[in-house]
C-alpha cells in the first residue's frame, strides 16, 4: 500500500471525492514553489502532482510549457526537484506526491538510480506521458517493483481495443484526460466525461481521476461528481505565473478543492 492507495481508501470510506493539484517544481523559483507546495494540503489537496521541468513537454499547453521554462531558467534540475520533495517531506509524511514528466531526464540519470532516489525522497507515484504500455519493461515495471505507483493516462481516443493495454500494469489510479489535445486547451464537460469514466471503471477497480480543462470550483465539482475526483493544473499554474502572492494562490486552490469535495 502506497500513500496514494491509503488516501483513496480513506476518501472512499468517507464518500469523498479526491482533489489533485498540479504545480511545476521550481516555478517561479525554488523557494516560492516549495512554499506553495507546503500549503497545498491545508488548502484541501489530497494528492500533489509535481511537474518535472523538461525542455520539450509535448503533452502540455503554453501555460505549463512556460512554467517549465521559468523553472529551467532558474536552474531547476531533476536533483533539485527531488530535493524539493525531501524538503516537503520534512514537514509532511502523509500527503501523496506524484511526479509527472517525461522520460528523458529519468533515462539520463539511469532508471535504477532514479527510482532509488525517488523512493528515498518521498515520491509515491509516476506519470511519464511519453512511455506507452509497449515500453513497460523500461520504467513501469521497475517502478512498481520499487514500490512506486505507475499511473497511466487514458484519453477520449483510447478505444475499447486499446484500453486493456493502458490498464495493464497501471496502479494507484487511472488519469482520464477529459479533452483531446494539450493541457489548458479547452473546458471539460461532465456530460462528455461521465460515460467515458463509466467505460473505464467497467474494466478496472482503480479510481478514475479526471484532468485537463478544469478551471473553476463549479467545473471541479461537476467533473468530480462523475468520477472519483479531479485534477487541476493549468489554472493553478496561471495564478502562479501572474505573480499572485502565495496565500492568494492557495486560496484559489482551496476554492477548487472545496468544489471537488462537494461532489
Amino acid at each position: 500500500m502506497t500513500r496514494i492507495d491509503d488516501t483513496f481508501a480513506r476518501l472512499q470510506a468517507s464518500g469523498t471525492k479526491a482533489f489533485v493539484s498540479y504545480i511545476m517544481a521550481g516555478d517561479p523559483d525554488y523557494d516560492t514553489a516549495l512554499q506553495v507546495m507546503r500549503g497545498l494540503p491545508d488548502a484541501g489537496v489530497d494528492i500533489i502532482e509535481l511537474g518535472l521541468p523538461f525542455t520539450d513537454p509535448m503533452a502540455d499547453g503554453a501555460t505549463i510549457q512556460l512554467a517549465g521554462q521559468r523553472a529551467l531558467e532558474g536552474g531547476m534540475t531533476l536533483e533539485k526537484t527531488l530535493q524539493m520533495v525531501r524538503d516537503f517531506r520534512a514537514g509532511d509524511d502523509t500527503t501523496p506526491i506524484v511526479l509527472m514528466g517525461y522520460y528523458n531526464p529519468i533515462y539520463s540519470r539511469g532508471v535504477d538510480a532514479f527510482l532509488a532516489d525517488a523512493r528515498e525522497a518521498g515520491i509515491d507515484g509516476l506519470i511519464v506521458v511519453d512511455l506507452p504500455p509497449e515500453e513497460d519493461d523500461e520504467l513501469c515495471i521497475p517502478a512498481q517493483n520499487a514500490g512506486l505507483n505507475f499511473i497511466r493516462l487514458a484519453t477520449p481516443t483510447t478505444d475499447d481495443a486499446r484500453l486493456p493495454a493502458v490498464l495493464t500494469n497501471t496502479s494507484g489510479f487511472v488519469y482520464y484526460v477529459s479533452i483531446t489535445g494539450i493541457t489548458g486547451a479547452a473546458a471539460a464537460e461532465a456530460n462528455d466525461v461521465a460515460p467515458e469514466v463509466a467505460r473505464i471503471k467497467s474494466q478496472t477497480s482503480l479510481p478514475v481521476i479526471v484532468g485537463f480543462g478544469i478551471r473553476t470550483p463549479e467545473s471541479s465539482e461537476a467533473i468530480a461528481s462523475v468520477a472519483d475526483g479531479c485534477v487541476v493544473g493549468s489554472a493553478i499554474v496561471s495564478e502562479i505565473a501572474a505573480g499572485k502572492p502565495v496565500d492568494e494562490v492557495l486560496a484559489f486552490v482551496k476554492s477548487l478543492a472545496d468544489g471537488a469535495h462537494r461532489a
Side-chain angles (χ1 to χ4, degrees):
M1 292 282 284
T2 64
R3 292 185 185 93
I4 296 170
D5 300 326
D6 289 342
T7 294
F8 279 112
R10 172 178 54 80
L11 291 170
Q12 289 171 351
S14 65
T16 305
K17 300 301 179 73
F19 181 72
V20 183
S21 69
Y22 172 99
I23 61 169
M24 178 67 71
D27 177 42
D29 56 71
Y30 186 98
D31 291 341
T32 303
L34 180 58
Q35 192 177 352
V36 171
M37 188 177 182
R38 285 174 167 161
L40 293 176
D42 283 345
V45 172
D46 299 299
I47 298 173
I48 296 170
E49 204 177 294
L50 185 64
L52 175 62
F54 181 53
T55 52
D56 188 23
M58 65 184 76
D60 294 307
T63 299
I64 291 177
Q65 285 187 26
L66 290 170
Q69 288 179 18
R70 288 191 296 270
L72 291 169
E73 288 167 2
M76 205 62 181
T77 61
L78 173 55
E79 179 52 48
K80 288 183 178 179
T81 300
L82 294 175
Q83 186 57 48
M84 187 172 160
V85 174
R86 293 185 192 100
D87 291 344
F88 175 85
R89 284 282 175 237
D92 185 318
D93 195 42
T94 58
T95 304
I97 299 172
V98 175
L99 188 68
M100 182 172 185
Y102 298 82
Y103 186 45
N104 186 277
I106 297 170
Y107 177 80
S108 297
R109 190 180 190 86
V111 168
D112 291 343
F114 165 75
L115 291 174
D117 291 343
R119 183 73 189 272
E120 174 271 327
I123 288 170
D124 304 288
L126 303 174
I127 299 175
V128 182
V129 297
D130 54 348
L131 276 182
E134 288 75 14
E135 305 296 335
D136 274 358
D137 289 340
E138 193 80 16
L139 180 63
C140 172
I141 292 172
Q144 308 227 53
N145 289 339
L148 299 176
N149 290 127
F150 198 89
I151 295 143
R152 193 90 66 191
L153 275 63
T155 74
T157 59
T158 306
D159 61 19
D160 289 337
R162 181 62 174 169
L163 186 58
V166 170
L167 297 175
T168 299
N169 297 325
T170 298
S171 64
F173 60 92
V174 179
Y175 187 137
Y176 179 68
V177 177
S178 65
I179 56 174
T180 302
I182 53 176
T183 57
E189 296 292 341
N191 289 340
D192 297 330
V193 169
E196 292 299 303
V197 170
R199 181 169 68 93
I200 295 167
K201 289 182 75 68
S202 73
Q203 297 196 39
T204 181
S205 60
L206 291 171
V208 179
I209 305 299
V210 177
F212 287 45
I214 303 168
R215 309 189 68 85
T216 66
E218 293 76 21
S219 60
S220 181
E221 180 177 3
I223 295 299
S225 72
V226 298
D228 294 301
C230 67
V231 184
V232 179
S234 294
I236 296 169
V237 172
S238 293
E239 296 288 298
I240 295 170
K244 300 282 184 71
V246 170
D247 59 344
E248 290 187 21
V249 173
L250 293 173
F252 176 64
V253 173
K254 186 177 187 305
S255 73
L256 297 164
D258 288 348
H261 293 151
R262 282 195 299 270

